[in-house]
Amino acid sequence: MSSLLLLFFLLCTTTSSSSSSPSTNKNEAETPKTFIIKVQYDAKPSIFPTHKHWYESSLSSASATLLHTYDTVFHGFSAKLTPSEALRLKTLPHVLAVFSEQVRHLHTTRSPQFLGLKSSSDSAGLLLKESDFGSDLVIGVIDTGVWPERQSFNDRDLGPVPRKWKGQCVTTNDFPATSCNRKLIGARFFSQGYESTNGKMNETTEFRSPRDSDGHGTHTASIAAGRYVSPASTLGYASGVAAGMAPKARLAVYKVCWNAGCYDSDILAAFDSAVSDGVDVVSLSVGGVVVPYFLDAIAIAAFGASDHGVFVSASAGNGGPGGLTVTNVAPWVTTVGAGTIDRDFPADVHLGNGKIIPGVSVYSGPGLKKDQMYSLVYAGSESGDGYSASLCLEGSLDPAFVRGKIVVCDRGINSRPAKGEVVKKAGGVGMILANGVFDGEGLVADCHVLPATSVGAASGDEIRKYIMSAEKSKSPATATIVFKGTRVNVRPAPVVASFSARGPNPETPEILKPDVIAPGLNILAAWPDKVGPSGIPTDKRKTEFNILSGTSMACPHVSGLAALLKAAHPDWSPAAIRSALMTTAYTVDNRGETMIDESTGNTSTALDFGAGHVHPQKAMNPGLIYDLTSYDYVNFLCNSNYTVNNIQVITRRKADCSGATRAGHVGNLNYPSLSAVFQQYGKHKMSTHFIRTVTNVGDPNSAYKVTIRPPSGMTVTVQPEKLVFRRVGQKLNFLVRVEATAVKLSPGSSSMRSGKIVWSDGKHNVTSPIVVTMQQPL
């Protein structure tokens, strides 16, 4: 209620301070928008034949429009309302909560081999072999739809659709019934929320059907569960066999993302359908602003899915390398950051002064002339149009200045390939795309429309300095770009991708996020016909596969792995699957050193990679798991000081917080990682404890001994130091105590140290990161 009153107050004060007339102010304050309404589901009077009839009766105004009803992961409906109508609804006795929706955005093939999943008879192929490639599992991909004709979605040698499946293939003129098969077993689309805000969609630019007009959904679906396709490549790059993580798993696509974004009311409807249809895994490469869980439609929907036994993986976001950028942080969601794989696409800049600057690109069109150097200019130099020219924005470049030259453009605002199109239109022959300071040294290879390459921030500075010094010496700067194709066995790998969002968790610092990282940089996967590989409308090139980067690409890797693990261990809960992925993850690269951060070249930390990079084979047999039930999450929410009403919005049932005091504090959620936050407040010594319960899923008679690697300057003790199991399924508890000494910090600042505890029986190593944050209050 207070949040709605605040919203109403803000709307009123914003309009009253403007210079328009009072009637205009009132109209602006009363602009309808989409709200999501949580109801007491069992309070429906018998006079109403369905919940939908009941909800419609709650909407007194003729202008109010019912958009979706929800009855599986959430109980309630969404509607287009004015703020005053929303406030009136909140007063009804059966309405538990009313909150406005967010607009979310997309977090935009060598990876199975890099992960050890290539199909073979050796031990590396064990995961695929044991799970029969996950053939009875269904992965629901909530995204931009699918291009069903792609070979990645063929159903050769697949058995009948699993009997449990209750979903449907929604057919339209451009998505006939033949679009679905024994591989792509379900396809739906949800546009009511999108159109409620944006008006009727333009069907000349997007499809009113499950068909993908963007490419992102086709790409993510094929990463999760694409079939083996050979040969596969993008414009000749990354050639080989393309395959998803779970090539025999079934796919169901739920299209919620449109030209203007992905709307919460539609996302909630997709989750509701997916769980009701019978998916085993939901893959969501979409995110937005972090808000409390009871106001977060994705967190609410994901809780409902988890409560029904469905594993939910979500992308961590592309807001890195800064801290506190991670999204989709609810503890019942597996949050996935992005790492590199051991393959890249070098395209080096050769400067007129003899220096060679490393870059990356996926470009295969007409190249620059061999052995010819071209004039080199910086778009943001004094001869150009200042700031907008430096970014190579549409219409900002003077053709007389750039014609026939290679142009240096700064990264930011418009898409990376769009900058190349601007240069090409103005007559430039090539582009060097330079990272800004915030982007650091992280490089993303793009399918450019002209000869172009991306370079890091330091390299960009070096190139600009060379141009300036050449101008002063009256000898014009020159350069060329040399494209070297595909390079494999790159070291170091994996590296934490520069864009991958980082912790700490902005909503609950005691829960470490992201959970894990997976391949997310320059990933080859399926692509639709009607979209050029650069994603620019004028790009008419066609390719069956495309190379994209983002935590969007990392998330479906984990979705596919979760399906394989569920196939091999049908009785495992979503929390057990995540625990297996986390406790077996690795933090060491292929040089044998701790993974580095791509943006700085420095050693990365648990705030960057969570528990580490997924290791599928070890996850098959983790030895011990940290399991969780919905009741544990309720205790977590109680200890997060959520009200009983707030908790019911998330959990669909009345909460009993009496057991939460036994759980102690938020950090005692039985999570595979441990995170402590100490407020110094003048204290010299501080301590906390964690209680954890592990379940034996390894050998019946086994004894695990603990090894502790405490964060530097801290004391960590574990009791008992040995856990002796007599049977599979047995649970044992242990207590971890962390003691810290105050460190010198300026007011408002913090310092983070990490370590780990490892339980080992000589066969399994069950690893949990420990992160300790010291904060100096203002």
Side-chain angles (χ1 to χ4, degrees):
M1 181 74 177
S2 60
S3 59
L4 279 165
L5 286 168
L6 177 63
L7 169 71
F8 189 61
F9 174 75
L10 286 172
L11 283 163
C12 293
T13 51
T14 304
T15 51
S16 64
S17 63
S18 72
S19 58
S20 52
S21 68
S23 61
T24 308
N25 295 343
K26 187 178 178 186
N27 291 341
E28 286 178 4
E30 285 300 288
T31 302
K33 58 190 288 191
T34 301
F35 289 88
I36 295 168
I37 297 91
K38 168 77 175 180
V39 301
Q40 183 78 40
Y41 197 67
D42 54 9
K44 179 179 78 67
S46 57
I47 190 171
F48 295 106
T50 67
H51 279 83
K52 186 180 180 188
H53 287 91
W54 180 37
Y55 300 154
E56 285 171 337
S57 77
S58 304
L59 302 175
S60 59
S61 158
S63 64
T65 311
L66 185 75
L67 300 175
H68 294 288
T69 61
Y70 313 106
D71 51 27
T72 304
V73 299
F74 183 75
H75 292 155
F77 62 100
S78 52
K80 190 173 185 179
L81 308 166
T82 63
S84 58
E85 286 167 341
L87 282 170
R88 187 198 65 79
L89 261 186
K90 184 73 173 70
T91 65
L92 300 178
H94 61 276
V95 172
L96 298 174
V98 180
F99 56 95
S100 55
E101 75 171 352
Q102 274 194 59
V103 187
R104 316 282 181 150
H105 295 284
L106 301 165
H107 284 148
T108 208
T109 313
R110 217 178 123 74
S111 51
Q113 195 166 347
F114 181 69
L115 286 167
L117 283 175
K118 57 187 183 293
S119 181
S120 66
S121 57
D122 64 17
S123 61
L126 182 70
L127 188 58
L128 294 183
K129 183 179 167 198
E130 284 196 16
S131 61
D132 188 28
F133 300 70
S135 62
D136 285 329
L137 276 290
V138 184
I139 300 172
V141 179
I142 298 178
D143 211 297
T144 66
V146 68
W147 196 266
E149 292 80 10
R150 283 291 162 257
Q151 278 305 301
S152 295
F153 309 123
N154 80 70
D155 65 356
R156 280 192 302 275
D157 304 322
L158 279 178
V161 171
R163 283 185 184 176
K164 64 172 185 178
W165 182 246
K166 300 193 289 287
Q168 65 183 101
C169 188
V170 175
T171 59
T172 64
N173 287 340
D174 61 57
F175 203 88
T178 52
S179 301
C180 291
N181 56 20
R182 294 190 310 277
K183 174 65 175 178
L184 180 62
I185 63 172
R188 299 179 186 263
F189 66 99
F190 303 86
S191 61
Q192 290 94 316
Y194 165 57
E195 293 187 285
S196 168
T197 300
N198 296 278
K200 200 166 185 292
M201 78 172 68
N202 179 355
E203 293 185 46
T204 63
T205 61
E206 49 189 341
F207 301 106
R208 186 184 291 281
S209 77
R211 188 172 288 280
D212 185 4
S213 59
D214 178 275
H216 189 275
T218 301
H219 203 268
T220 55
S222 69
I223 292 170
R227 304 299 304 274
Y228 287 99
V229 181
S230 178
S233 69
T234 297
L235 310 177
Y237 286 84
S239 58
V241 177
M245 295 295 100
K248 282 198 175 177
R250 316 305 172 115
L251 275 168
V253 299
Y254 300 85
K255 181 178 176 180
V256 300
C257 293
W258 306 86
N259 286 351
C262 326
Y263 288 76
D264 272 354
S265 53
D266 295 334
I267 293 171
L268 195 50
F271 264 99
D272 213 54
S273 291
V275 174
S276 176
D277 289 348
V279 304
D280 299 283
V281 172
V282 167
S283 188
L284 182 74
S285 292
V286 166
V289 179
V290 174
V291 294
Y293 305 126
F294 62 91
L295 297 175
D296 184 343
I298 288 177
I300 292 166
F303 183 94
S306 169
D307 196 38
H308 282 82
V310 175
F311 179 93
V312 179
S313 56
S315 46
N318 297 342
L324 288 166
T325 49
V326 64
T327 66
N328 295 322
V329 295
W332 44 86
V333 171
T334 298
T335 311
V336 188
T340 66
I341 60 174
D342 58 346
R343 174 188 70 197
D344 66 8
F345 309 103
D348 297 341
V349 178
H350 290 233
L351 296 177
N353 62 5
K355 287 199 172 171
I356 296 174
I357 308 285
V360 298
S361 179
V362 181
Y363 174 75
S364 69
L368 297 169
K369 288 178 185 168
K370 201 175 179 188
D371 302 326
Q372 179 177 333
M373 299 297 279
Y374 294 81
S375 290
L376 177 68
V377 293
Y378 172 45
S381 70
E382 289 172 17
S383 317
D385 177 26
Y387 178 66
S388 57
S390 70
L391 295 163
C392 296
L393 302 183
E394 186 66 42
S396 66
L397 298 182
D398 177 3
F401 178 57
V402 303
R403 190 176 290 113
K405 297 171 185 171
I406 292 175
V407 181
V408 179
C409 299
D410 293 337
R411 190 168 157 184
I413 299 188
N414 55 343
S415 79
R416 297 180 301 271
K419 294 176 190 293
E421 187 186 35
V422 170
V423 171
K424 188 177 182 182
K425 274 189 198 167
V429 296
M431 176 181 71
I432 299 167
L433 183 55
N435 280 358
V437 175
F438 185 73
D439 304 306
E441 302 309 306
L443 300 179
V444 178
D446 293 299
C447 293
H448 290 287
V449 295
L450 85 172
T453 188
S454 292
V455 301
S459 297
D461 287 342
E462 187 175 346
I463 293 168
R464 283 186 288 265
K465 279 177 188 164
Y466 162 62
I467 293 170
M468 284 172 64
S469 65
E471 282 173 359
K472 283 177 187 169
S473 65
K474 305 294 186 203
S475 56
T478 59
T480 190
I481 303 169
V482 178
F483 298 94
K484 295 184 170 179
T486 305
R487 180 172 63 176
V488 295
N489 301 317
V490 171
R491 293 160 72 93
V495 167
V496 179
S498 178
F499 56 76
S500 186
R502 317 298 167 98
N505 179 336
E507 182 60 22
T508 313
E510 297 83 359
I511 301 294
L512 178 64
K513 291 285 182 173
D515 292 308
V516 289
I517 63 168
L521 185 77
N522 302 331
I523 302 300
L524 179 81
W527 195 247
D529 271 346
K530 297 252 174 120
V531 188
S534 67
I536 299 170
T538 56
D539 184 0
K540 302 303 180 190
R541 293 174 294 177
K542 281 190 178 184
T543 178
E544 186 161 344
F545 294 90
N546 199 7
I547 291 166
L548 294 187
S549 298
T551 54
S552 274
M553 284 63 248
C555 167
H557 279 89
V558 169
S559 310
L561 295 179
L564 296 179
L565 290 168
K566 182 77 174 171
H569 303 281
D571 57 333
W572 278 12
S573 69
I577 293 169
R578 175 181 52 210
S579 174
L581 288 166
M582 288 177 69
T583 62
T584 59
Y586 61 92
T587 60
V588 170
D589 62 26
N590 55 9
R591 304 168 306 167
E593 297 176 27
T594 301
M595 285 187 286
I596 63 170
D597 179 343
E598 187 190 30
S599 70
T600 61
N602 299 331
T603 302
S604 53
T605 72
L607 294 182
D608 306 322
F609 53 63
H613 192 287
V614 291
H615 193 308
Q617 293 72 36
K618 286 189 176 175
M620 271 291 279
N621 183 12
L624 305 175
I625 54 168
Y626 294 82
D627 210 354
L628 284 162
T629 67
S630 293
Y631 293 105
D632 295 313
Y633 293 128
V634 169
N635 285 342
F636 160 81
L637 293 167
C638 291
N639 285 323
S640 300
N641 295 322
Y642 279 30
T643 66
V644 172
N645 189 56
N646 292 157
I647 295 170
Q648 191 172 353
V649 171
I650 301 165
T651 63
R652 311 182 315 287
R653 59 176 79 92
K654 282 196 168 73
D656 176 6
C657 283
S658 58
T661 48
R662 286 201 302 277
H665 58 87
V666 174
N668 273 346
L669 181 70
N670 198 41
Y671 216 71
S673 54
L674 301 95
S675 174
V677 181
F678 292 121
Q679 303 283 348
Q680 297 199 149
Y681 288 120
K683 297 178 204 161
H684 182 61
K685 294 267 187 191
M686 290 147 289
S687 69
T688 190
H689 70 278
F690 300 94
I691 298 165
R692 290 292 187 267
T693 304
V694 284
T695 306
N696 180 23
V697 295
D699 303 320
N701 289 298
S702 50
Y704 285 82
K705 289 182 181 174
V706 72
T707 303
I708 304 166
R709 292 192 185 160
S712 63
M714 320 255 170
T715 303
V716 176
T717 55
V718 177
Q719 294 172 312
E721 295 179 355
K722 187 176 182 182
L723 298 173
V724 179
F725 294 92
R726 300 288 175 226
R727 57 186 171 81
V728 172
Q730 184 180 354
K731 296 177 186 288
L732 291 175
N733 300 334
F734 64 92
L735 183 141
V736 181
R737 183 168 293 282
V738 179
E739 296 174 352
T741 305
V743 293
K744 194 164 185 181
L745 291 169
S746 57
S749 65
S750 63
S751 115
M752 189 281 294
R753 308 272 170 83
S754 61
K756 60 184 175 182
I757 62 168
V758 184
W759 290 100
S760 179
D761 65 347
K763 181 176 174 184
H764 308 93
N765 291 315
V766 186
T767 305
S768 290
I770 303 178
V771 173
V772 179
T773 306
M774 312 291 284
Q775 293 182 341
Q776 186 65 41
L778 284 166

